[in-house]
Amino acid sequence: MTATANSIILHQYDISPFSEKVRIVLGLKGLEWFACDEPVIMPKPELVALTGGYRKIPVMQIGADIYCDTQIIIRELEKRFPTPSLFVGGDRGIGWGIGMWTDRVFFQAAVAIIFGGGAALADEAFIKDREKLTGRPFDIEAMKAAAPMMAEQFRAQLGWLEDQLADGRAFLMGDKPGIAEANAYYNLAFIRWTSPAGAKLIEAFPKLLAWEARVRAIGHGTRHEISREDALDIAQAASSTEQVSRDAGEPNGLAPGDRVTVMADDYGRDPVVGEVVSSSAQHIAIRRKDPRVGEVVVHFPRTGFLVIKG
Ligand SMILES: N[C@@H](CCC(=O)N[C@@H](CS)C(=O)NCC(=O)O)C(=O)O
């Protein structure tokens, strides 16, 4: 199977929890996709050629359109492949809000438990890389000290999920799986892959355990592999399909053609510079040129990102 300009290419690595969020969405929608494995630490020259600076994982590529952050990746997948919908009842807005909880507070508790527990992932090169990523010391000793408190935090949030399932429903929003599953599940998967002590916390919640098995069974759709060079060749040969559009509601008057810098507001704040193609309350798409891939359009969500004019 060969990838084309219409194929979904997920720049990822297998042990990446945020990639697992997207893989579950690919499974829910029964999609065929290409995994393009990226390094766990910098340098990531091929990824940065596509994004213009953004280095976090995952990044989705469809032709010359590059989607940075799981929120915009999932929004695009829902737009291009609306059936079955990720919105299964009563969660069309709050589904995104669940992501802001699980990607930040829930995820940070998992990280402290995993690395405070001495996960073998954290060698010297990894620690140096993550210090650069976050702009703070990656302080294993501090994480060790915080791990017991974080276990309480993590357990409390597992308890919310258990309570959500208390009426016997199969999935968080009812009888069908959707965006809430993708958002909630990947932190449990991350703990299972890396921390036996953390995984023990899950065992105390019977409804959650059964739910976890149901979500795992959804799978990842149909996965193929693609090399980084082949993915770059696809971007170079393709043209973006993003249409120019002006959002009259832009609070700061942003318009197509404006030069902007976009960066995450939390960690991995590497700036990406380009020219606005389209924007809305939920997205910004910017055009940039790269010597290896030519013209690409890079897409970001608005919550969790800063857009600076000029
Ligand atoms: N808000 C981002 C978070 C992504 C994220 O933190 N990804 C981790 C890996 S799961 C990462 O990029 N770590 C640094 C790296 O892999 O270089 C999203 O939703 O995509």
Side-chain angles (χ1 to χ4, degrees):
M1 175 97 190
T2 319
T4 68
N6 295 320
S7 303
I8 299 166
I9 300 174
L10 191 68
H11 296 262
Q12 61 125 55
Y13 48 86
D14 284 350
I15 200 185
S16 149
F18 284 90
S19 300
E20 181 68 5
K21 188 208 271 199
V22 175
R23 292 186 295 248
I24 291 291
V25 168
L26 294 163
L28 279 169
K29 290 187 172 289
L31 294 170
E32 196 152 335
W33 60 284
F34 289 79
C36 183
D37 280 331
E38 294 288 345
V40 176
I41 61 174
M42 292 294 267
K44 309 185 189 188
E46 298 90 353
L47 184 71
V48 170
L50 292 168
T51 64
Y54 184 86
R55 55 125 337 156
K56 288 198 256 183
I57 297 291
V59 166
M60 181 174 78
Q61 172 191 352
I62 300 182
D65 285 289
I66 313 299
Y67 300 87
C68 298
D69 192 284
T70 53
Q71 191 193 143
I72 197 77
I73 293 173
I74 292 173
R75 188 174 289 281
E76 190 63 23
L77 288 172
E78 179 73 7
K79 188 166 127 195
R80 291 187 189 230
F81 309 99
T83 320
S85 176
L86 296 173
F87 299 96
V88 289
D91 58 347
R92 193 156 279 281
I94 205 70
W96 301 112
I98 295 172
M100 291 308 277
W101 154 47
T102 61
D103 292 1
R104 295 185 178 221
V105 181
F106 200 26
F107 175 65
Q108 290 306 337
V111 166
I113 292 169
I114 290 164
F115 293 102
L121 301 167
D123 63 13
E124 206 183 315
F126 181 87
I127 291 172
K128 281 221 172 85
D129 179 80
R130 289 327 191 235
E131 290 189 334
K132 242 185 162 174
L133 175 78
T134 58
R136 286 188 273 121
F138 193 88
D139 188 342
I140 300 274
E141 285 311 311
M143 283 193 239
K144 254 187 207 154
M149 271 84 84
M150 285 305 176
E152 295 172 12
Q153 301 294 316
F154 195 71
R155 176 170 170 257
Q157 292 166 74
L158 292 175
W160 294 351
L161 296 170
E162 179 79 3
D163 288 349
Q164 185 69 15
L165 298 164
D167 62 4
R169 61 183 65 199
F171 295 103
L172 293 168
M173 291 296 159
D175 57 6
K176 283 197 209 123
I179 193 164
E181 271 59 46
N183 276 325
Y185 173 77
Y186 76 87
N187 281 309
L188 277 67
F190 191 27
I191 282 273
R192 288 236 181 251
W193 298 334
T194 52
S195 168
K200 260 202 200 128
L201 295 168
I202 309 172
E203 304 296 328
F205 297 103
K207 293 214 152 52
L208 191 56
L209 274 175
W211 168 86
E212 193 189 16
R214 282 191 285 273
V215 180
R216 193 180 299 121
I218 290 167
H220 293 159
T222 307
R223 170 176 168 159
H224 308 281
E225 308 294 324
I226 186 171
S227 73
R228 298 202 281 273
E229 283 305 321
D230 286 352
L232 295 186
D233 288 343
I234 287 179
Q236 186 187 30
S239 301
S240 165
T241 58
E242 185 67 15
Q243 300 296 309
V244 174
S245 80
R246 187 196 178 98
D247 173 15
E250 272 292 342
N252 299 307
L254 212 61
D258 285 350
R259 196 183 146 82
V260 292
T261 300
V262 183
M263 64 175 87
D265 73 358
D266 47 3
Y267 54 92
R269 297 166 63 120
D270 309 78
V272 181
V273 177
E275 202 175 87
V276 176
V277 178
S278 70
S279 70
S280 70
Q282 304 304 340
H283 90 286
I284 182 158
I286 64 176
R287 192 188 314 280
R288 55 171 293 274
K289 271 204 175 105
D290 178 90
R292 170 67 175 88
V293 295
E295 200 168 274
V296 290
V297 172
V298 190
H299 306 244
F300 301 91
R302 297 303 281 273
T303 49
F305 283 80
L306 308 172
V307 178
I308 301 151
K309 254 192 184 182

